[in-house]
Amino acid sequence: FTLLGNADPARRSEILEEVVAAFKVRADLKMPPAWMQTFDVLMKSDDSQVRQQAEFIAVKFGDERVLPALRDTLRERTLPIERRQLALASLLAGKDRQLPGVLQGLLDDEAVQLAAINALAAFDDAGTPAALIKAYGSFAREAQQAAIGTLTSRPKFVLALLDAMAAGQIPRTDLSAFSVRQLLQLNHESVTKKLNEVWGTTRATTADRAAEVARYKTLLKPEALAQANLPHGRELFNKTCASCHTLFDSGKKIGPDITGSNRANLDYLLENLLDPSAVVGKDYQMTVVVTDDGRSINGIVKEESDSAVVLQTPTDLVTIAKSSIEARKLAELSLMPEGQLKPLSADDVRDLVAYLAAPAQVPLPGDGPWLDPKTGKVAGALEGESLKVLEITGGTARDQGMGGFSLGKWSNSNHLWWTGGKPRQKLVLEVPVSQDGRYEVYVALTKAIDYGIVRLTLDDLPASEPIDLFNNGVVNTPPLSLGTHDLTAGKHKLTVEIVGANPQAVKGYMVGLDYVQLTAK
């Protein structure tokens, strides 16, 4: 076994990294005889990464010696998030039977919350529905959508979810188009009956469709659309569409990016909203997989090997061992179901359609700052490139014109660009406040492939959660709130600290600050 005799630490780490990458999309691996001794050698390494990689490989081989230690690592909230995430990935890959109970106890832990919710779908555990429904109201939007995804993965889970919706514990409008299509694919009589009672999914006839189009055209006349609440429309898009579609670089990429589509045409919008299965693009046909333990997984095939298939769902990449697949088929219908406008009020439909047809992004309700297309600036913003640099512990900070990057729109077409920084280094900026008052503090940043993960601190207030600035294209973030604070007139300090980088990022650790805005409350 190569790892056993290789004394060069760098080469050993390189081999382990390659093995871990290969094993991520494989299943049902046979443990080689030399592994038992090799594992003991690797676990004595002084390199924590080597030990963690060895634990992942051990789990893929079905070596249960590591499971108790991995559970302890996952539970320990003071450990680095990377270690806990790798422990979770290892336990999930090993199908640890005790993992569901551990995950249910971590639903209030924001560091691993999203991963825990997604992982619970892999286990037919009776305690999962009640745990998710109880915690649902405390979840952020992305976590709520992940919870819906898990609760729609198994018939028993679905019935508990629909009961909770019928009781008003979870809004029925939180059930996305993708989730409804997944429920219909179950072909489960009790689920379909309950779904019709709670959500409504009856397929319309041609005559019904024509009457429905006429009704919505009357509702959505230009004068009505002119009165639409676009921020509310964006909020509805995030609930009903963003789990599959991207608009203005926001949302998932399960279905087509609709930014460049013929969205301003009402006939086009209604055709796709009311009869989505009329035309289904080959690249967006959904694969439905049912496993031997009753789990239903719907998504787009992203990768496949001789032993496993990887599906992209709205909230997760799921690797499924082919030996555990009971049924697999390519769906003939669109993942968008008919009747998706039925749960919405007339005003909701108006706001959603108006937002879908909008020429540019708008802020979500309460976000405040927005870029005026007439001036090219965010009104009242403190432009990042104009802020005084008080301290920089590494690299350089200067302004950078952003007019050449077409995927985003920056206030004043410029930002403050920090390059050459490294993790744990800081940039301190002066933020002037004109008068005493209570302000919600917003910042807008830049994202790109070689940007880092940062944490922001205003004066001595608690630091923000880490903000990941990785993106495959150069774009600007929406306004990000640092909270509402009482600020005195005078000079304040905004500290930007680099804390790391996304695993997929080119490790340039760059940072771009578009603007800071203080919104009086």
Side-chain angles (χ1 to χ4, degrees):
F1 198 88
T2 308
L3 290 170
L4 192 60
N6 195 325
D8 179 11
R11 180 56 182 154
R12 176 177 285 174
S13 180
E14 183 180 322
I15 293 172
L16 283 168
E17 186 174 344
E18 292 173 356
V19 172
V20 168
F23 281 11
K24 283 182 178 178
V25 292
R26 297 187 65 83
D28 299 327
L29 295 170
K30 185 178 180 181
M31 186 190 303
W35 172 251
M36 299 296 285
Q37 182 183 358
T38 301
F39 175 74
D40 291 336
V41 172
L42 294 176
M43 290 305 292
K44 293 176 182 177
S45 170
D46 293 332
D47 188 333
S48 62
Q49 184 175 4
V50 167
R51 297 195 302 271
Q52 292 167 37
Q53 290 169 327
E55 288 174 340
F56 179 84
I57 295 169
V59 172
K60 295 293 282 190
F61 281 150
D63 186 347
E64 296 189 356
R65 289 177 293 173
V66 298
L67 297 183
L70 287 172
R71 291 186 209 114
D72 289 342
T73 297
L74 177 57
R75 289 189 187 99
E76 183 49 68
R77 304 189 183 205
T78 62
L79 291 176
I81 181 60
E82 294 80 7
R83 283 190 60 187
R84 300 179 68 201
Q85 288 175 335
L86 184 57
L88 173 53
S90 300
L91 290 164
L92 186 60
K95 299 180 181 178
D96 177 30
R97 292 184 296 274
Q98 295 185 39
L99 183 57
V102 177
L103 297 175
Q104 290 160 17
L106 294 172
L107 293 178
D108 63 339
D109 184 352
E110 292 184 4
V112 296
Q113 183 184 77
L114 192 61
I117 294 169
N118 286 326
L120 281 168
F123 300 90
D124 187 12
D125 187 87
T128 291
L132 289 175
I133 291 168
K134 180 179 179 181
Y136 189 86
S138 66
F139 291 159
R141 183 64 199 162
E142 187 176 9
Q144 288 182 338
Q145 283 300 298
I148 294 291
T150 293
L151 289 169
T152 54
S153 64
R154 301 173 184 275
K156 288 185 290 187
F157 290 10
V158 172
L159 291 172
L161 169 65
L162 294 175
D163 284 341
M165 287 184 166
Q169 294 173 274
I170 296 177
R172 65 190 183 111
T173 53
D174 282 6
L175 202 58
S176 70
F178 188 99
S179 298
V180 171
R181 175 60 66 207
Q182 181 166 334
L183 298 188
L184 293 175
Q185 293 291 342
L186 290 173
N187 291 321
H188 190 284
E189 183 178 352
S190 298
V191 169
T192 301
K193 179 181 178 182
K194 191 70 176 179
L195 183 63
N196 283 327
E197 293 172 359
V198 175
W199 201 85
T201 58
T202 304
R203 184 171 175 82
T205 65
T206 302
D208 291 337
R209 181 76 68 229
E212 194 174 22
V213 169
R215 179 169 67 85
Y216 281 117
K217 279 192 170 183
T218 299
L219 173 67
L220 300 170
K221 288 182 177 180
E223 54 269 28
L225 291 172
Q227 302 299 316
N229 181 336
L230 292 181
H232 181 235
R234 181 180 176 187
E235 186 175 43
L236 290 167
F237 173 85
N238 287 348
K239 287 184 176 182
T240 60
C241 312
S243 57
C244 298
H245 294 288
T246 300
L247 179 58
F248 304 128
D249 295 312
S250 176
K252 303 288 185 179
K253 296 182 179 180
I254 309 300
D257 183 338
I258 61 177
T259 307
S261 64
N262 191 22
R263 295 176 292 107
N265 184 302
L266 181 59
D267 288 327
Y268 172 87
L269 281 177
L270 290 176
E271 175 185 346
N272 283 275
L273 288 167
L274 300 177
D275 195 12
S277 294
V279 178
V280 183
K282 181 180 178 181
D283 292 339
Y284 300 104
Q285 286 185 286
M286 184 171 60
T287 293
V288 183
V289 169
V290 179
T291 62
D292 52 15
D293 67 346
R295 182 184 181 188
S296 176
I297 310 161
N298 294 241
I300 307 297
V301 175
K302 287 295 183 182
E303 196 171 347
E304 189 164 359
S305 69
D306 57 349
S307 62
V309 60
V310 181
L311 289 185
Q312 174 67 68
T313 76
T315 58
D316 200 15
L317 272 175
V318 182
T319 301
I320 310 151
K322 286 186 173 179
S323 62
S324 70
I325 295 177
E326 186 175 283
R328 171 180 174 177
K329 66 177 181 178
L330 195 64
E332 297 178 357
L333 298 177
S334 166
L335 57 84
M336 290 173 56
E338 295 81 9
Q340 61 182 323
L341 297 181
K342 284 184 178 180
L344 305 181
S345 69
D347 286 349
D348 285 347
V349 172
R350 177 202 65 193
D351 294 347
L352 174 61
V353 170
Y355 172 69
L356 290 171
Q361 185 60 286
V362 298
L364 284 163
D367 276 359
W370 67 286
L371 191 143
D372 187 341
K374 294 180 180 179
T375 65
K377 296 182 178 182
V378 172
L382 302 170
E383 300 292 347
E385 65 274 15
S386 71
L387 297 177
K388 181 180 179 181
V389 176
L390 299 176
E391 180 184 1
I392 185 168
T393 61
T396 58
R398 61 180 177 85
D399 67 318
Q400 180 190 29
M402 303 302 290
F405 299 98
S406 61
L407 295 179
K409 291 186 181 296
W410 287 260
S411 182
N412 200 34
S413 295
N414 210 325
H415 73 169
L416 179 66
W417 191 29
W418 180 15
T419 62
K422 301 294 182 184
R424 292 184 295 279
Q425 292 181 338
K426 297 179 180 181
L427 171 66
V428 183
L429 303 169
E430 184 178 283
V431 176
V433 176
S434 59
Q435 61 183 29
D436 294 355
R438 186 166 181 77
Y439 299 90
E440 182 155 18
V441 182
Y442 292 96
V443 297
L445 302 161
T446 301
K447 303 178 73 171
I449 195 169
D450 45 4
Y451 278 43
I453 298 174
V454 299
R455 184 182 289 117
L456 306 181
T457 307
L458 183 64
D459 294 333
D460 296 321
L461 297 169
S464 72
E465 292 295 320
I467 302 170
D468 190 348
L469 300 179
F470 166 76
N471 192 69
N472 275 322
V474 183
V475 298
N476 53 297
T477 70
L480 306 173
S481 177
L482 300 183
T484 300
H485 310 287
D486 293 314
L487 302 177
T488 58
K491 300 174 181 178
H492 295 259
K493 293 181 180 180
L494 176 66
T495 300
V496 184
E497 179 185 9
I498 300 172
V499 297
N502 187 294
Q504 300 179 60
V506 175
K507 303 305 186 288
Y509 302 106
M510 288 191 264
V511 181
L513 174 64
D514 185 11
Y515 64 82
V516 176
Q517 188 181 64
L518 309 177
T519 301
K521 292 295 183 180

